[in-house]
Amino acid sequence: MSLHLHRNIFGNPSNAGNVLSKAETDKLFTSWVLNPRLQLHMKQVAQLMKCWAAEKEMLDEVDQWRWEMAGLLHDADWDQWPDQHCKKIIEELESRNIDPEIIRAIASHGPLHFGVEPETKMDKMLYAFDELSGLVHAYALMRPNNYVGMDLKGVKKRLKEKSFAANVSREDIDDACKRADESLDDIITFIIPRQAAVK
Ligand SMILES: [Fe+2]
């Protein structure tokens, strides 16, 4: 099954800055995503996107929400329509005249799967956080104290064990860090405390 999108232009430039409200996003999120584990993953990635926008990109609250919204909705169609993954949420957001940068970030969050190159920093960080967030959370679940006391060294040890969270692509992680021009260590160190706060 190919999830290749076979296109490279998303949304309409005249919709720049258009977002869903928090309530509208929550409504879409809860009606499309029924699996609590996937919901948590999407909330974790959303929190990381928001924090990165605020702390590293120094963006204002309006832009922080654009980053957060991309994180909250990036896997919205995976639960109920896996064979239309990415395509369905993209078309939904296009039909609602949403900012093309948000739609593009979602479309490029798996370049090896969807065939869309991450271009902006928002695109690149969504791709990087997507896989690394999953690995860090899998590690938290196997630790007696969850995120408490977790450090970079422990995460990297798990990353080297191919059998640990084997569905998390090490190839995607390497590719994402290179594209984002951020070190693996810095991204993991950023993730641990911020992801720990998401319930
Ligand atoms: Fe994801």
Side-chain angles (χ1 to χ4, degrees):
M1 178 181 70
S2 170
L3 296 173
H4 213 284
L5 291 163
H6 300 291
R7 64 180 173 126
N8 199 36
I9 293 172
F10 301 93
N12 187 322
S14 66
N15 294 328
N18 286 356
V19 292
L20 295 177
S21 68
K22 183 82 176 78
E24 288 166 337
T25 306
D26 285 347
K27 196 174 168 197
L28 179 60
F29 181 92
T30 50
S31 61
W32 282 31
V33 188
L34 310 177
N35 177 340
R37 280 180 59 188
L38 182 59
Q39 285 189 352
L40 179 61
H41 161 69
M42 291 162 73
K43 284 181 192 168
Q44 289 171 333
V45 172
Q47 175 74 355
L48 297 171
M49 290 292 282
K50 180 190 176 183
C51 291
W52 188 278
E55 298 172 41
K56 300 283 190 177
E57 307 298 323
M58 304 298 184
L59 297 174
D60 63 18
E61 284 185 15
V62 172
D63 280 329
Q64 287 171 33
W65 171 243
R66 294 166 65 245
W67 282 57
E68 186 179 357
M69 197 184 132
L72 262 177
L73 295 178
H74 79 280
D75 282 336
D77 48 20
W78 175 244
D79 195 13
Q80 299 194 67
W81 306 276
D83 56 340
Q84 294 181 64
H85 180 35
C86 230
K87 182 171 181 281
K88 188 170 172 73
I89 184 62
I90 287 166
E91 289 174 358
E92 176 71 19
L93 296 177
E94 285 179 325
S95 76
R96 296 195 190 199
N97 299 321
I98 296 304
D99 189 328
E101 278 193 30
I102 297 173
I103 302 175
R104 198 175 197 293
I106 293 174
S108 64
H109 86 265
L112 306 177
H113 307 284
F114 310 127
V116 182
E117 293 293 303
E119 287 172 357
T120 66
K121 193 73 179 185
M122 191 202 293
D123 297 349
K124 291 170 183 175
M125 292 317 298
L126 182 58
Y127 176 33
F129 284 142
D130 190 26
E131 296 290 339
L132 272 168
S133 161
L135 183 116
V136 171
H137 190 62
Y139 180 38
L141 292 178
M142 64 168 278
R143 299 179 76 252
N145 295 321
N146 213 238
Y147 283 89
V148 178
M150 185 190 290
D151 63 5
L152 171 65
K153 206 174 143 199
V155 175
K156 288 190 83 175
K157 202 172 158 199
R158 297 291 164 253
L159 193 57
K160 286 201 183 98
E161 288 172 13
K162 294 226 169 94
S163 59
F164 177 79
N167 59 332
V168 175
S169 164
R170 273 58 171 176
E171 189 192 354
D172 281 1
I173 289 173
D174 284 348
D175 182 50
C177 294
K178 280 195 196 102
R179 288 174 191 254
D181 198 21
E182 301 288 343
S183 79
L184 175 66
D185 291 10
D186 286 352
I187 300 180
I188 293 171
T189 305
F190 185 87
I191 289 175
I192 296 169
R194 290 159 186 87
Q195 183 154 291
V198 184
K199 303 289 175 214

